């Protein structure tokens, strides 16, 4: 791994030379903007809004805009002259239980590596002290031109450091929680507990980014000149469900997916779609925990299949016999003519019919 910062951990009077490495990496697919006509890349240039001319990086400096609109230039030399004791030191401020750190504060993650042979012993001392105490160290450090808050903890055989947001950077969740009038019954909690127990532990190692894989397949298909499969997006809209029935169905579905059988049948949850602007009654959902709402294309295929089956069934049924009409003399003579033709009857010159054998 490549180090992004060199300094030391200040642990009382103990100084531990360390190197800082990124513990995570970003696998998100990045895109560029291009000109659709010729494929040329679109780049952003720094242009002064007063003279509308492009300005090179050597002629730009930082500036702070005051509340009244006054712009105050601040150079790199000005910032370098400020006292920053944590510029090259991770200064441990104290130790707290890991539960005292709100996960909302967690930011970037890093590995701390002992920098050189002399640093191995104090590094191991701090690591084992943290492991035995079950606590984490809260520290200050400076990175990329500003002071930050961090948390040091043991991860296997190394010391990991998590960047933390400052306490005043965490926003209060005002207006986020549901109304206080919502009541949750014990029976609903029991079913929720049963669902959690049935689903079991999450296997973190098997989780992956499905969207990133879909984007990679899309890019590969376009590069190979293959047609891109299109799927219609599902219609947005809320659902009004019977919570108890949905929980029961979810528990059954989770047990089936784990190869368990609770021996109970029964109806599934009634799900009423809202916001679609179409009429219709309740729809049965066989597996609300794992099935998706069918798309328009799937629904159209199912409707067409039902109509075709209905037409075939109607064609197989014998036609109903109609009652003979009262005034139809011409129709009554038709069967006689057919009989005569069938038996090969001929008329004699005298007008009498004479039967001849076929």
């Amino acid at each position: 791994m490549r180090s992004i910062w060199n300094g030391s951990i200040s642990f009382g009077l103990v100084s531990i030379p360390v190197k800082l490495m990124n513990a995570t990496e970003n696998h998100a697919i990045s895109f560029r903007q291009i000109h659709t006509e010729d494929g040329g890349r679109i780049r952003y240039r720094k242009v002064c809004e007063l003279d509308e001319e492009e300005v090179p990086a050597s002629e730009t400096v930082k500036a702070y805009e005051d509340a009244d609109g006054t712009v105050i230039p601040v150079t790199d030399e000005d910032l370098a002259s400020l006292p920053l004791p944590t510029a090259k030191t991770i200064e441990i401020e104290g130790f707290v239980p890991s539960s005292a750190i709100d996960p909302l504060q967690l930011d970037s993650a890093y590995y701390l590596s002992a920098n050189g042979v002399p640093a191995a012993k104090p590094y191991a001392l701090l690591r084992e002290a943290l492991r035995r105490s079950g606590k984490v160290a809260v520290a200050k450090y400076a990175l990329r031109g500003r002071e930050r808050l961090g948390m040091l903890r043991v991860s296997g055989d190394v010391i990991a450091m998590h960047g933390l947001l400052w306490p005043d950077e965490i926003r209060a969740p005002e207006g986020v929680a549901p109304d206080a009038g919502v009541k949750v019954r014990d029976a609903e909690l029991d079913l929720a507990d049963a669902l959690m127990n049935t689903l079991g532990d999450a296997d973190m190692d098997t989780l992956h980014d499905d969207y990133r894989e879909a984007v990679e397949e899309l890019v590969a298909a376009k590069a190979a000149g293959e047609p891109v499969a299109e799927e219609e997006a599902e219609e947005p809209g809320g659902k009004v469900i019977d919570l108890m029935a949905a929980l029961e169905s979810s528990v059954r579905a989770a047990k089936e997916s784990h190869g368990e059988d609770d021996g109970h049948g029964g109806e599934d949850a009634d799900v009423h779609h809202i916001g679609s602007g179409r009429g219709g009654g309740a729809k049965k959902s066989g597996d609300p925990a794992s099935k998706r709402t069918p798309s328009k294309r799937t629904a159209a295929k199912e409707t067409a299949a039902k109509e075709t089956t209905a037409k075939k069934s109607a064609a197989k049924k014998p036609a109903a016999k109609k009652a003979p009409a009262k005034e139809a003399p011409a129709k009554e003579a038709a069967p006689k003519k057919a009989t005569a033709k069938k038996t090969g009857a001929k008329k004699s010159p005298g007008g009498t019919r004479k039967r001849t054998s076929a």
Side-chain angles (χ1 to χ4, degrees), residues 57-247:
S58 59
E59 296 181 13
T60 62
V61 296
K62 298 181 180 69
Y64 176 81
E65 186 173 354
D66 209 348
D68 60 359
T70 304
V71 177
I72 305 169
V74 180
T75 65
D76 291 338
E77 290 75 15
D78 295 333
L79 295 174
S81 64
L82 296 177
L84 189 58
T86 55
K88 282 293 184 180
T89 305
I90 299 172
E91 187 75 38
I92 293 179
E93 301 290 328
F95 301 87
V96 298
S98 58
S99 58
I101 304 297
D102 191 336
L104 286 173
Q105 285 185 261
L106 295 177
D107 200 0
S108 303
Y110 307 95
Y111 288 133
L112 289 169
S113 171
N115 192 2
V117 176
K121 183 63 180 278
Y123 181 95
L125 173 64
L126 176 59
R127 181 191 63 199
E128 296 307 316
L130 288 171
R131 193 194 307 275
R132 189 168 71 172
S133 69
K135 294 183 177 182
V136 298
V138 177
K140 287 183 179 181
Y141 68 102
L143 186 64
R144 299 187 181 96
R146 72 183 186 93
E147 192 169 58
R148 303 166 190 261
L149 189 64
M151 175 188 74
L152 277 63
R153 68 177 183 89
V154 178
S155 176
D157 291 332
V158 301
I159 298 175
M161 183 173 73
H162 294 269
L164 298 178
L165 299 175
W166 296 97
D168 60 0
E169 292 180 316
I170 305 296
R171 300 174 64 184
E174 296 177 358
V176 177
D179 294 336
V182 176
K183 300 282 186 180
V184 178
R185 294 180 293 169
D186 290 339
E188 293 168 339
L189 279 174
D190 292 340
L191 279 172
D193 289 340
L195 177 58
M196 292 170 64
N197 292 332
T198 305
L199 291 175
D201 298 333
D203 187 354
M204 301 298 292
D205 293 333
T206 62
L207 300 179
H208 58 279
D209 188 346
D210 293 319
Y211 180 75
R212 177 171 60 88
E213 291 181 358
V215 173
E216 289 174 348
E217 292 174 2
L218 170 69
V219 173
K222 280 183 162 289
E226 299 174 356
V228 179
E230 295 183 1
E231 290 188 8
E232 294 184 10
E234 297 177 2
E235 288 187 2
K239 294 180 181 179
V240 179
I241 65 174
D242 182 341
L243 184 57
M244 288 293 291
L247 286 169

Side-chain angles (χ1 to χ4, degrees), residues 22-30 209 212:
N22 281 317
T24 62
E25 54 188 5
N26 187 359
H27 289 169
I29 297 175
S30 59
D209 188 346
R212 177 171 60 88

